[in-house]
């Protein structure tokens, strides 16, 4: 079963001094594509502001270990491990002010009368993705981190960024998904595991660069 895609790495750098007239590279990375028909997803692309680089989120996988990324993708439903969240280990301020967490592990129930597979949740900037407790229960996605930097509200509260997505469970042709982390479907968030009737997994959401001064 498909695991949850991870949120991208998040960097929150306050008090950054910029010199007037300095040209800075600004890149907004795209979200990773969701897998189709039991295929694996793809890792998200990096976002950057000058030398600050936020890594793309690790992909949700089907029958293999979750990919490493800014946060780690969930492990596939054949009891595979989740990927590592590597944003905090990046060099310089990208790691010092960076956030990213581990993806959850998948689980399987194997029987001669039928088998069930559950994917782990993708990691988020605020918390790790949950392990699938058993072959019938996929793991919840990790929460994003909440900031008021944008000056806008979502659902009446300051938005969360870089959330992980919930994994999926497949049993005898029936598919269900676990809850996504807080901040799902916002910038930098991962895509939910296989949940549609045609076994499409949701793609991740693009990154964002916000400058407040």
């Amino acid at each position: 079963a498909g695991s949850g895609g991870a949120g991208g790495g998040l960097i929150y750098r306050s008090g950054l001094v910029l010199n007037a007239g300095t040209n800075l590279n600004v890149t907004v990375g795209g979200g990773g594509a969701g897998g189709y028909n039991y295929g694996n997803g793809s890792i998200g692309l990096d976002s950057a502001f000058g030398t600050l680089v936020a890594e793309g989120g690790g992909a949700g996988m089907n029958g293999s270990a979750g990919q490493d990324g800014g946060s780690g993708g969930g492990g596939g439903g054949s009891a595979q491990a989740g990927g590592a969240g590597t944003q905090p280990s990046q060099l310089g301020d990208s790691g010092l002010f960076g956030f990213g967490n581990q993806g959850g592990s998948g689980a399987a129930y194997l029987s001669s009368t039928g088998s069930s597979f559950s994917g782990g949740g993708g990691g988020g900037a605020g918390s790790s993705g949950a392990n699938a407790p058993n072959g019938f229960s996929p793991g919840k996605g990790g929460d994003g981190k909440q900031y008021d930097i944008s000056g806008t509200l979502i659902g009446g509260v300051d938005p969360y960024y870089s959330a992980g997505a919930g994994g999926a469970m497949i049993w005898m042709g029936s598919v269900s998904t676990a809850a996504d982390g807080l901040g799902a479907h916002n910038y930098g968030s991962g895509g939910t595991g296989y949940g549609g009737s045609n076994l499409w997994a949701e793609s991740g959401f693009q990154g964002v660069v916000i400058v407040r001064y």
Side-chain angles (χ1 to χ4, degrees):
S3 60
L10 185 149
I11 300 171
Y12 184 79
R13 177 69 165 94
S14 61
L16 181 65
V17 177
L18 301 176
N19 296 320
T22 301
N23 292 322
L24 292 173
N25 171 58
V26 179
T27 302
V28 175
Y36 171 68
N37 197 22
Y38 303 103
N40 294 322
S42 60
I43 193 168
L45 301 179
D46 297 348
S47 295
F49 181 77
T51 61
L52 299 173
V53 180
E55 295 190 303
M61 309 300 277
N62 180 29
S64 55
Q67 280 191 323
D68 298 344
S71 285
S78 52
Q80 298 291 330
T86 58
Q87 186 65 48
S89 65
Q90 298 306 299
L91 296 176
D93 285 355
S94 295
L96 184 62
F97 297 96
F99 300 90
N101 288 286
Q102 177 88 17
S105 298
Y109 168 80
L110 304 176
S111 169
S112 59
T113 59
S115 299
S116 179
F117 302 92
S118 292
S127 64
S128 298
N131 297 331
N134 54 60
F136 296 98
S137 301
K140 175 187 176 295
D143 293 335
K145 286 187 71 68
Q146 187 180 31
Y147 294 101
D148 64 358
I149 187 172
S150 71
T152 61
L153 302 179
I154 296 179
V157 299
D158 292 317
Y160 291 77
Y161 299 91
S162 296
M169 181 276 294
I170 298 178
W171 163 251
M172 305 289 284
S174 176
V175 179
S176 64
T177 57
D180 299 325
L182 288 173
H185 303 98
N186 194 22
Y187 293 115
S189 299
T192 306
Y194 300 107
S197 60
N198 59 358
L199 296 181
W200 273 108
E202 187 178 45
S203 294
F205 294 80
Q206 72 174 44
V208 65
V209 175
I210 301 175
V211 179
R212 186 171 179 177
Y213 57 95

